[in-house]
């Protein structure tokens, strides 16, 4: 005899847990960038920066908020967070390279570009691998299956 018992969602795969933790650390770093920049705003104004201090604060706040939202979504198993992760990472990489090429001093901009490319490629590969794993897809069923 069958009973109507809600089936619990599958447990979170370790790869998704690690990815959510990495996104959380990314968000915390950007939130710290915002917080420290806010606390030392007057000092930032006295420096000869290529961008206004408000740009540094705004980008830190934006990526901190976006990162915390994505990390929470990944932790809860949100399909939307999984879908937004790669485009958000692409946008972050685009901003990184724009900052590096447009605002960095020419003498320092090219010192470690191979490491930056490899680190971003490794992060992208890790995110894509995690998102495509069968266990992660089972954790994030399509919206129509969640509403049933």
């Amino acid at each position: 005899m069958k009973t109507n018992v809600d089936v619990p969602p599958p447990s979170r795969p370790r790869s998704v847990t690690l990815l959510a933790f990495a996104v959380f650390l990314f968000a915390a770093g950007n939130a710290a960038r915002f917080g420290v920049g806010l606390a030392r705003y007057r000092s930032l104004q006295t420096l000869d920066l290529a961008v206004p201090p408000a740009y540094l604060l705004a980008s830190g706040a934006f990526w901190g908020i976006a990162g915390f939202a994505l990390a929470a979504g990944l932790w809860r198993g949100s399909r939307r967070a999984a879908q937004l992760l790669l485009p958000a990472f692409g946008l972050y990489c685009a901003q990184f390279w724009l900052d590096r090429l447009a605002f960095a001093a020419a003498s320092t901009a090219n010192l470690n570009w191979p490491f930056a490319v490899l680190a971003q490629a490794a992060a992208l590969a890790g995110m894509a691998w995690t998102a495509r794993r069968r266990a992660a897809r089972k954790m994030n069923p399509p919206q129509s299956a969640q509403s049933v």
Side-chain angles (χ1 to χ4, degrees):
M1 191 180 212
K2 288 188 174 181
T3 60
N4 275 344
V5 177
D6 287 336
V7 177
S11 63
R12 183 182 326 102
R14 184 176 299 144
S15 59
V16 174
T17 301
L18 291 174
L19 181 59
F21 185 66
V23 173
F24 175 81
L25 290 177
F26 164 81
N30 278 284
R33 174 182 173 176
F34 171 74
V36 171
L38 195 61
R40 306 220 184 264
Y41 191 76
R42 293 211 188 272
S43 298
L44 287 174
Q45 289 178 319
T46 64
L47 299 174
D48 185 27
L49 300 174
V51 295
Y55 171 80
L56 299 173
L57 292 175
S59 65
F62 175 80
W63 290 114
I65 292 167
F68 284 133
L70 284 171
L74 289 169
W75 190 263
R76 288 188 335 261
S78 164
R79 186 169 184 81
R80 184 179 274 322
Q83 291 171 338
L84 290 175
L85 184 63
L86 292 178
F89 182 70
L91 185 60
Y92 180 79
C93 288
Q95 182 198 356
F96 173 85
W97 286 103
L98 175 69
D99 288 352
R100 185 180 186 101
L101 298 174
F103 304 130
S107 61
T108 60
N110 295 322
L111 290 179
N112 65 351
W113 71 264
F115 174 78
V117 169
L118 288 174
Q120 289 175 358
L124 179 61
M127 283 184 250
W129 175 78
T130 299
R132 285 179 174 73
R133 290 190 65 221
R134 180 178 298 152
R137 288 194 315 260
K138 284 182 182 177
M139 188 181 154
N140 300 314
Q143 295 296 349
S144 59
Q146 286 180 347
S147 63
V148 173

